Amino acid sequence: MLDIGLIRKDPEGVRARLATRGATATEGLVQVLQADEERRKLVGEVEKLKSERNTISKEIGGKKAQGESVDDLMAGMKEKSDRIAALDRQVAEVEVQQEGLLLSIPNLPWEECPKGTSPTDNPVVSKWGEPKKFDFKAKDHVALGEALGILDFTASAKISGSGFSVYKGAGARLERALINWMLNLHSGEHGYTEVSPPFLVREASMVGTGQLPKFRDDMYAVEGGELFLVPTAEVPVTNLHREEILTEADLPKRYVAYTPCFRKEAGSAGKETRGLARMHQFDKVELVCIEHPDRSMKALEELCGHAEAVLQKLGLHYRKIELCAGDLGFGAARCYDLEVWAPGMGQFLEVSSCSNFRDFQARRMGLRFKGADGKNRPCHTLNGSGTALARLFIALVETYQTKDGKVEIPETLWALLGTKTIG
RNA sequence: GGACAGGUGCCGGAGUGGUCUAUCGGGCUCGCCUGGAAAGCGUGUGUUGGGUAAAACCAACCGAGGGUUCGAAUCCCUCCCUGUCCGCCA
């Protein structure tokens, strides 16, 4: 959520920065300013009346206590109260309107965000490793996995339909080993506190991180309740400190959490849907950081480095790209994507998205810290996948496949997996 | 799911219609005192919105939302949460 004070103070500056996201990003700006002006006018009016009412009510109390007549004071009080009630209703109405508009306006891109309007404008920041070369025709993970009996798409389709997966045997164990290994890495070596959060969250939490109200169609809602299945651990974990005022000494807060992620993926049918690449349910280990505004850009580099460490330790070729303003997610001010090379599919797959939201989410969830000057300011929040499973699984089995259809597992996972080779 | 008891400030804990400007105690801040500390004394101590150059000042907030009233922490309704017991259950 943008700061209404900033919009009021510099509407043209805000408009110009939002416009770098694309033409539709500035929708609602005019209306939100109108609502703000209307709201302040009404509030001024009603508070003056309330002040008068408070004064007279006290006088009535005092006179009654001394047995004096209060008839003259009572005259007109009912009308005043009715007028206040009517104005209060108007204020509430305008507030709801203003809040709704503010919640639907995306974040301001970082001042130095790459310009651009589509994914093709995203600059490649760096590459790590080399694409794996084979002296045979590399299979994709679907062919490999089904032949090895570690993936069963027939079963998952039967149980739940398309967009779901069944891992079996060494496949299931590999999934679990990867989750454990990543949690151990981030909590043990990168200084994150491990959290195991709820997988169902209330609407307010989804509003806090920005999924709602705008992206309701992408979320799974529990029938009859107001709970939603988490689309990412970012939601429950960032909301750990919702409506809190932290001290500067509390910052940074770093959390790592494993959760399954549930996404409807509405409108993405047919794109990248082969095998495990796009699921309605997938596992993910997520990194979350709550930081001081002065340090959040540095924290983004660190957090992204922690995600990169996963790919490096597994010896997987990947590239790091920075999203241009036009490709930035709704709440992000700056974002890096990590894309791992899947040699069987012959393409890069996004396994991590590391974003700095600055104060956008913090404003929505009332997450503040008390500064040295005693003033409360919104914290900055960041998160990044560290990393997403399914696609990591794809890259791993496709990269380490052998000519005879086996998979040779990197040494880092041997102990947790209990074997060096699958097949 | 059922019954009962609760939810007040940083913490404990009063307050059942009117100077509540939320008693009191503890904690913490700053100051005095002291060689230094403790004790003691004094002082201050929330959030949000409006307002202002900044203040002053004003309004709202006693779990949340409605209602009654000139006036609500207090009375009424709905909901949420916590505790205890019962039921159910991994």
Side-chain angles (χ1 to χ4, degrees), chain A residues 11-318:
Chain A
E12 276 322 302
V14 169
R15 166 177 302 280
R17 274 177 72 190
L18 279 178
T20 62
R21 282 178 170 272
T24 59
T26 56
E27 279 173 9
L29 262 188
V30 172
Q31 294 92 312
V32 91
L33 270 173
Q34 285 169 349
D36 180 54
E37 196 177 325
E38 175 74 3
R39 189 189 105 255
R40 286 188 297 149
K41 197 189 104 200
L42 291 167
V43 163
E45 215 174 312
V46 74
E47 286 190 353
K48 184 162 166 283
L49 286 170
K50 282 181 178 175
S51 181
E52 290 169 14
R53 181 178 69 181
N54 286 347
T55 306
I56 298 173
S57 282
K58 264 180 204 169
E59 276 182 56
I60 292 174
K63 287 205 170 184
K64 271 203 165 183
Q66 291 166 23
E68 293 173 32
S69 162
V70 293
D71 291 356
D72 54 328
L73 289 173
M74 295 280 264
M77 281 296 273
K78 177 71 179 160
E79 286 70 39
K80 202 183 277 286
S81 269
D82 288 347
R83 176 84 185 121
I84 287 171
L87 282 169
D88 266 343
R89 271 192 291 275
Q90 285 187 58
V91 169
E93 218 172 280
V94 178
E95 270 176 355
V96 166
Q97 191 197 347
Q98 179 180 329
E99 182 83 352
L101 286 162
L102 272 180
L103 286 175
S104 296
I105 295 173
N107 198 6
L108 297 176
W110 177 48
E111 294 81 349
E112 294 162 54
C113 233
K115 303 253 180 300
T117 54
S118 78
T120 54
D121 298 318
N122 296 337
V124 175
V125 176
S126 62
K127 290 183 179 180
W128 189 90
E130 293 292 327
K132 184 75 173 276
K133 300 259 189 336
F134 298 94
D135 54 7
F136 56 93
K137 172 117 176 62
K139 294 181 189 161
D140 75 11
H141 66 286
V142 179
L144 267 169
E146 295 199 318
L148 286 167
I150 59 173
L151 290 175
D152 190 341
F153 290 105
T154 309
S156 58
K158 182 170 64 183
I159 300 164
S160 303
S162 69
F164 294 90
S165 54
V166 167
Y167 297 83
K168 295 198 303 196
R173 180 142 183 168
L174 176 57
E175 182 81 355
R176 177 164 59 86
L178 284 167
I179 293 168
N180 269 327
W181 175 71
M182 289 190 282
L183 285 172
N184 288 345
L185 175 68
H186 297 307
S187 62
E189 293 180 33
H190 297 155
Y192 290 75
T193 302
E194 185 172 342
V195 174
S196 180
F199 301 163
L200 288 167
V201 297
R202 28 179 21 153
E203 181 161 350
S205 297
M206 296 283 267
V207 171
T209 35
Q211 284 74 21
L212 293 180
K214 223 175 173 184
F215 307 103
R216 194 171 289 267
D217 292 349
D218 296 329
M219 307 298 148
Y220 284 103
V222 174
E223 180 80 34
E226 95 279 353
L227 292 175
F228 295 81
L229 276 80
V230 297
T232 159
E234 162 194 350
V235 179
V237 176
T238 311
N239 276 284
L240 276 173
H241 296 287
R242 190 150 67 85
E243 296 293 337
E244 286 183 16
I245 301 172
L246 305 174
T247 66
E248 286 204 20
D250 290 330
L251 302 175
K253 293 266 187 195
R254 297 185 213 266
Y255 296 107
V256 59
Y258 155 75
T259 70
C261 302
F262 303 93
R263 301 181 181 181
K264 284 193 173 174
E265 301 293 353
S268 58
K271 281 192 297 184
E272 247 183 36
T273 49
R274 172 103 175 130
L276 292 171
R278 186 179 292 275
M279 300 276 102
H280 290 311
Q281 176 188 331
F282 63 96
D283 293 313
K284 183 154 61 70
V285 169
E286 182 79 0
L287 304 172
V288 170
C289 178
I290 300 172
E291 246 300 14
H292 190 286
D294 295 347
R295 294 191 298 264
S296 69
M297 278 306 169
K298 182 163 172 276
L300 177 64
E301 301 298 327
E302 291 165 2
L303 185 142
C304 194
H306 296 147
E308 288 182 66
V310 168
L311 303 176
Q312 292 175 8
K313 283 173 186 286
L314 292 176
L316 297 172
H317 172 53
Y318 70 91

